Amino acid sequence: MTLQDHVFRALADPTRRSILLMLADGDRTVGEVASRFDMTRPAVAKHLKVLGDGGLVTVEARGRERINRLNPEPLAQVAQWVARFEVFWDARLAALKTEVETKDD
């Protein structure tokens, strides 16, 4: 599995997307992340591992705590990949606009 595959796998889950939004507001421990969800701490740790596998989260050990931090770089790669399809949508929307505008004629 490529790194890009790991990123898309990580983003596929709504809980993991929520965790990313939380980490965008600041670094959090596993306990802090878990306190926001109705799931066990080990379940949250598994989600954080998947995010880490995708390079979206980095972990820093501070004593006994593990601080999770958002790494936005892989999201830029996703944005570049998605941008490839803008041409498709631009052409489709332009055709739709033309169709709608000529229907009245």
Side-chain angles (χ1 to χ4, degrees), residues 60-79:
E60 176 188 341
R62 288 189 197 154
R64 293 183 336 163
E65 292 185 325
R66 297 176 55 79
I67 308 300
N68 297 277
R69 177 175 293 127
L70 173 67
N71 177 24
E73 290 176 26
L75 294 174
Q77 296 169 2
V78 169

Side-chain angles (χ1 to χ4, degrees), residues 26-72:
D27 302 348
R28 304 274 193 275
T29 65
V30 175
E32 289 170 329
V33 174
S35 71
R36 306 259 180 112
F37 294 94
D38 187 25
M39 66 179 67
T40 64
R41 190 176 168 134
V44 169
K46 286 181 183 180
H47 282 294
L48 287 166
K49 171 142 179 30
V50 173
L51 290 166
D53 291 345
L56 294 162
V57 171
T58 59
V59 180
E60 176 188 341
R62 288 189 197 154
R64 293 183 336 163
E65 292 185 325
R66 297 176 55 79
I67 308 300
N68 297 277
R69 177 175 293 127
L70 173 67
N71 177 24

Side-chain angles (χ1 to χ4, degrees), residues 74-96:
L75 294 174
Q77 296 169 2
V78 169
Q80 289 173 351
W81 187 86
V82 171
R84 295 178 187 172
F85 297 96
E86 285 182 25
V87 173
F88 169 78
W89 287 111
D90 289 346
R92 293 286 191 144
L93 290 173
L96 177 62

